[in-house]
Amino acid sequence: MTKILGYIAYEGPSEIDGSPVVVIVNKIDADSKNGKTGAIVQTFIIRSDIAPMAAVQTGADYAICGNCEHRPITAKETGKPPCYVQVGKSVQSVFHAYKRGRYVKADPATIAKALQGKIVRLGTYGDPFAAPVTMWNQIIRFAAGHRGYTHQWQRADFDAAAWSPLVMASADSIDQAAHANLLGMRVFRVSIGVDKQSGEAVCPASAEGQRKSTCAKCTLCAGTSIQARDVVIADHAAGHARRVISIAAV
Protein backbone atom coordinates (compact mmCIF):
# COMPACT_ATOMS: atom_id res chain seq x y z
CA MET A 1 0.00 0.00 0.00
CA THR A 2 1.34 3.45 -0.97
CA LYS A 3 2.29 5.49 2.04
CA ILE A 4 0.07 8.52 2.64
CA LEU A 5 2.06 11.73 2.56
CA GLY A 6 -0.39 13.82 4.57
CA TYR A 7 -3.92 15.15 4.81
CA ILE A 8 -6.28 17.49 3.02
CA ALA A 9 -7.62 19.71 5.78
CA TYR A 10 -9.75 22.01 3.62
CA GLU A 11 -11.02 22.19 0.05
CA GLY A 12 -13.26 25.10 -0.76
CA PRO A 13 -13.46 28.80 -1.55
CA SER A 14 -10.67 31.14 -0.53
CA GLU A 15 -11.62 33.48 2.29
CA ILE A 16 -9.71 36.13 0.33
CA ASP A 17 -11.45 36.09 -3.06
CA GLY A 18 -13.59 32.95 -3.31
CA SER A 19 -11.31 31.05 -5.70
CA PRO A 20 -10.86 27.29 -5.11
CA VAL A 21 -8.06 26.49 -2.65
CA VAL A 22 -6.82 23.49 -0.72
CA VAL A 23 -4.95 23.18 2.58
CA ILE A 24 -2.42 20.33 2.69
CA VAL A 25 -0.91 19.11 5.97
CA ASN A 26 2.33 17.18 5.52
CA LYS A 27 5.75 16.46 7.03
CA ILE A 28 3.88 15.16 10.07
CA ASP A 29 6.44 12.55 11.10
CA ALA A 30 9.42 13.65 9.00
CA ASP A 31 12.57 15.38 10.18
CA SER A 32 13.26 18.71 8.51
CA LYS A 33 16.35 19.48 6.47
CA ASN A 34 15.76 23.17 7.13
CA GLY A 35 18.21 24.27 9.81
CA LYS A 36 16.20 27.41 10.61
CA THR A 37 12.81 25.79 11.19
CA GLY A 38 13.78 22.41 12.63
CA ALA A 39 11.23 19.58 12.76
CA ILE A 40 7.82 21.15 12.30
CA VAL A 41 4.60 20.03 10.61
CA GLN A 42 4.05 21.93 7.38
CA THR A 43 0.82 23.25 5.91
CA PHE A 44 0.45 24.52 2.36
CA ILE A 45 -2.41 26.72 1.18
CA ILE A 46 -2.51 26.56 -2.61
CA ARG A 47 -4.90 26.96 -5.50
CA SER A 48 -6.56 23.59 -6.08
CA ASP A 49 -7.17 24.28 -9.77
CA ILE A 50 -3.95 25.94 -10.93
CA ALA A 51 -0.34 24.83 -10.55
CA PRO A 52 1.53 27.12 -8.12
CA MET A 53 4.04 28.45 -10.67
CA ALA A 54 1.22 29.31 -13.08
CA ALA A 55 -0.64 31.03 -10.24
CA VAL A 56 2.44 33.07 -9.35
CA GLN A 57 3.06 34.10 -12.96
CA THR A 58 -0.53 35.13 -13.68
CA GLY A 59 -1.40 36.71 -10.34
CA ALA A 60 -3.89 33.94 -9.48
CA ASP A 61 -1.90 33.47 -6.25
CA TYR A 62 -3.89 36.44 -4.91
CA ALA A 63 -6.39 33.81 -3.69
CA ILE A 64 -3.84 32.43 -1.24
CA CYS A 65 -1.56 35.42 -0.66
CA GLY A 66 -3.94 38.37 -0.85
CA ASN A 67 -2.33 41.80 -1.00
CA CYS A 68 1.03 40.68 0.39
CA GLU A 69 3.67 43.00 -1.05
CA HIS A 70 6.12 40.08 -1.30
CA ARG A 71 4.09 38.27 -3.98
CA PRO A 72 6.51 37.87 -6.92
CA ILE A 73 4.23 39.69 -9.37
CA THR A 74 4.01 42.66 -6.97
CA ALA A 75 7.63 42.68 -5.78
CA LYS A 76 8.85 42.69 -9.37
CA GLU A 77 7.00 45.96 -10.00
CA THR A 78 7.75 47.70 -6.69
CA GLY A 79 11.24 46.45 -5.85
CA LYS A 80 10.02 45.16 -2.48
CA PRO A 81 11.66 42.01 -1.03
CA PRO A 82 10.29 38.97 -2.90
CA CYS A 83 8.77 36.00 -1.10
CA TYR A 84 11.52 33.66 0.05
CA VAL A 85 9.51 30.49 -0.66
CA GLN A 86 10.85 28.57 -3.65
CA VAL A 87 7.50 27.88 -5.28
CA GLY A 88 9.00 25.94 -8.17
CA LYS A 89 10.36 23.32 -5.81
CA SER A 90 8.50 22.39 -2.62
CA VAL A 91 5.14 24.02 -3.39
CA GLN A 92 4.97 22.68 -6.92
CA SER A 93 5.85 19.23 -5.60
CA VAL A 94 3.01 19.40 -3.05
CA PHE A 95 0.54 20.40 -5.78
CA HIS A 96 1.50 17.50 -8.05
CA ALA A 97 1.28 15.03 -5.15
CA TYR A 98 -2.19 16.42 -4.40
CA LYS A 99 -3.26 15.88 -7.99
CA ARG A 100 -1.93 12.31 -7.86
CA GLY A 101 -4.10 11.58 -4.82
CA ARG A 102 -1.20 11.22 -2.38
CA TYR A 103 -3.01 13.20 0.32
CA VAL A 104 -6.10 11.89 2.11
CA LYS A 105 -9.06 14.12 2.85
CA ALA A 106 -9.83 13.73 6.55
CA ASP A 107 -12.14 15.30 9.10
CA PRO A 108 -10.68 17.80 11.60
CA ALA A 109 -10.79 15.28 14.47
CA THR A 110 -8.60 12.81 12.55
CA ILE A 111 -6.08 15.48 11.65
CA ALA A 112 -6.08 16.91 15.18
CA LYS A 113 -5.23 13.47 16.54
CA ALA A 114 -2.38 13.08 14.01
CA LEU A 115 -0.99 16.47 15.08
CA GLN A 116 -1.18 15.75 18.80
CA GLY A 117 2.04 16.81 20.50
CA LYS A 118 3.45 18.30 17.29
CA ILE A 119 4.54 21.82 16.40
CA VAL A 120 2.52 23.06 13.42
CA ARG A 121 3.33 25.82 10.94
CA LEU A 122 0.18 27.57 9.74
CA GLY A 123 0.96 28.53 6.18
CA THR A 124 4.37 27.23 5.19
CA TYR A 125 3.19 28.67 1.89
CA GLY A 126 0.08 30.79 1.51
CA ASP A 127 -1.62 32.99 4.06
CA PRO A 128 -3.58 31.14 6.78
CA PHE A 129 -6.39 33.68 6.38
CA ALA A 130 -7.24 32.10 3.00
CA ALA A 131 -8.83 29.18 4.91
CA PRO A 132 -11.43 29.34 7.70
CA VAL A 133 -10.14 30.19 11.16
CA THR A 134 -12.43 27.50 12.60
CA MET A 135 -10.60 24.84 10.61
CA TRP A 136 -7.22 25.91 11.98
CA ASN A 137 -8.52 25.94 15.55
CA GLN A 138 -9.95 22.45 15.14
CA ILE A 139 -6.87 20.77 13.65
CA ILE A 140 -4.32 22.24 16.09
CA ARG A 141 -6.28 21.83 19.29
CA PHE A 142 -4.07 18.98 20.53
CA ALA A 143 -0.82 20.31 19.03
CA ALA A 144 2.10 21.15 21.30
CA GLY A 145 2.40 24.52 19.62
CA HIS A 146 1.91 26.50 16.44
CA ARG A 147 3.63 29.18 14.37
CA GLY A 148 1.86 31.42 11.88
CA TYR A 149 1.91 34.76 10.07
CA THR A 150 -0.62 36.81 8.12
CA HIS A 151 -0.45 39.88 5.91
CA GLN A 152 -4.24 40.09 5.80
CA TRP A 153 -4.66 41.84 9.16
CA GLN A 154 -5.28 45.19 7.42
CA ARG A 155 -8.37 43.90 5.61
CA ALA A 156 -11.71 45.35 6.71
CA ASP A 157 -13.10 41.84 7.21
CA PHE A 158 -10.18 40.60 9.31
CA ASP A 159 -11.30 39.42 12.75
CA ALA A 160 -8.29 40.26 14.92
CA ALA A 161 -9.85 38.74 18.04
CA ALA A 162 -10.26 35.37 16.31
CA TRP A 163 -6.91 35.32 14.55
CA SER A 164 -4.54 36.96 17.05
CA PRO A 165 -4.05 33.82 19.20
CA LEU A 166 -3.08 31.85 16.08
CA VAL A 167 -0.84 34.10 14.03
CA MET A 168 1.55 37.01 14.08
CA ALA A 169 0.75 40.14 12.09
CA SER A 170 3.35 40.36 9.33
CA ALA A 171 4.59 43.94 9.14
CA ASP A 172 6.97 45.58 6.68
CA SER A 173 7.47 48.87 8.50
CA ILE A 174 7.53 50.30 12.00
CA ASP A 175 4.26 52.13 11.31
CA GLN A 176 2.56 48.91 10.22
CA ALA A 177 3.78 47.20 13.37
CA ALA A 178 2.30 49.94 15.54
CA HIS A 179 -1.03 49.68 13.70
CA ALA A 180 -1.16 45.90 14.20
CA ASN A 181 -0.42 46.32 17.91
CA LEU A 182 -3.39 48.68 18.20
CA LEU A 183 -5.56 45.87 16.81
CA GLY A 184 -4.33 43.58 19.56
CA MET A 185 -1.93 41.61 17.37
CA ARG A 186 1.62 40.60 18.14
CA VAL A 187 3.93 41.42 15.26
CA PHE A 188 6.61 39.76 13.16
CA ARG A 189 8.38 42.58 11.33
CA VAL A 190 10.80 42.31 8.42
CA SER A 191 13.36 45.11 8.49
CA ILE A 192 15.88 46.31 5.93
CA GLY A 193 19.07 45.64 7.83
CA VAL A 194 18.95 45.31 11.61
CA ASP A 195 16.94 48.01 13.42
CA LYS A 196 15.43 46.38 16.50
CA GLN A 197 12.93 48.67 18.21
CA SER A 198 11.87 48.87 21.85
CA GLY A 199 9.47 46.03 22.58
CA GLU A 200 10.95 43.77 19.90
CA ALA A 201 13.14 40.69 20.11
CA VAL A 202 15.44 39.63 17.29
CA CYS A 203 14.37 36.32 15.78
CA PRO A 204 16.63 33.76 17.52
CA ALA A 205 16.60 31.51 14.45
CA SER A 206 18.01 34.26 12.22
CA ALA A 207 21.61 34.97 11.29
CA GLU A 208 21.55 38.23 13.26
CA GLY A 209 20.09 36.28 16.18
CA GLN A 210 23.12 33.98 15.94
CA ARG A 211 20.84 31.02 15.18
CA LYS A 212 20.40 30.33 18.88
CA SER A 213 17.20 28.40 18.26
CA THR A 214 14.92 27.00 15.57
CA CYS A 215 11.29 27.76 14.74
CA ALA A 216 10.31 24.40 16.21
CA LYS A 217 12.01 25.09 19.56
CA CYS A 218 11.29 28.82 19.82
CA THR A 219 7.81 29.81 20.99
CA LEU A 220 7.84 33.49 20.02
CA CYS A 221 5.72 33.27 16.83
CA ALA A 222 2.58 31.88 18.46
CA GLY A 223 0.47 35.02 18.29
CA THR A 224 -1.20 36.18 21.49
CA SER A 225 -1.44 32.61 22.78
CA ILE A 226 1.74 33.59 24.64
CA GLN A 227 2.86 36.83 26.25
CA ALA A 228 6.10 37.94 24.67
CA ARG A 229 7.75 40.74 22.75
CA ASP A 230 7.15 41.29 19.07
CA VAL A 231 9.74 39.77 16.73
CA VAL A 232 11.94 41.40 14.09
CA ILE A 233 14.06 39.75 11.42
CA ALA A 234 16.33 41.30 8.81
CA ASP A 235 15.25 40.99 5.19
CA HIS A 236 17.00 37.89 3.86
CA ALA A 237 15.15 37.34 0.59
CA ALA A 238 16.91 37.42 -2.78
CA GLY A 239 18.61 40.80 -3.32
CA HIS A 240 18.65 41.77 0.37
CA ALA A 241 22.23 43.08 0.27
CA ARG A 242 21.31 45.49 -2.54
CA ARG A 243 18.34 46.81 -0.57
CA VAL A 244 20.50 47.46 2.52
CA ILE A 245 22.95 49.48 0.39
CA SER A 246 20.08 51.40 -1.18
CA ILE A 247 18.67 52.36 2.25
CA ALA A 248 22.11 53.35 3.55
CA ALA A 249 22.62 55.65 0.60
CA VAL A 250 19.46 57.65 1.25
Side-chain angles (χ1 to χ4, degrees), residues 25-28 39-43 115 118-121 124:
V25 181
N26 72 359
K27 301 291 184 182
I28 296 173
I40 192 168
V41 177
Q42 310 289 347
T43 64
L115 300 183
K118 308 285 186 180
I119 305 295
V120 184
R121 170 70 188 270
T124 303

Side-chain angles (χ1 to χ4, degrees), residues 34 36-37 70 81-86 121 188-193 203 205-208 211 215 232-241 243-244:
N34 188 320
K36 179 180 181 294
T37 64
H70 304 296
C83 180
Y84 62 86
V85 179
Q86 297 183 4
R121 170 70 188 270
F188 186 89
R189 182 173 67 88
V190 176
S191 65
I192 303 300
C203 171
S206 67
E208 62 271 24
R211 306 197 190 284
C215 297
V232 63
I233 191 170
D235 166 24
H236 54 284
H240 62 90
R243 288 185 289 274
V244 171

Side-chain angles (χ1 to χ4, degrees), residues 75-138:
K76 185 177 181 179
E77 296 177 356
T78 63
K80 297 290 185 179
C83 180
Y84 62 86
V85 179
Q86 297 183 4
V87 178
K89 294 183 178 180
S90 61
V91 185
Q92 195 85 345
S93 176
V94 168
F95 175 79
H96 289 309
Y98 164 65
K99 287 299 186 181
R100 294 197 307 270
R102 295 298 305 280
Y103 301 111
V104 173
K105 189 167 186 177
D107 59 83
T110 297
I111 299 174
K113 185 176 180 180
L115 300 183
Q116 186 169 2
K118 308 285 186 180
I119 305 295
V120 184
R121 170 70 188 270
L122 279 58
T124 303
Y125 177 69
D127 196 298
F129 181 79
V133 67
T134 52
M135 181 275 296
W136 294 113
N137 279 318
Q138 289 172 339

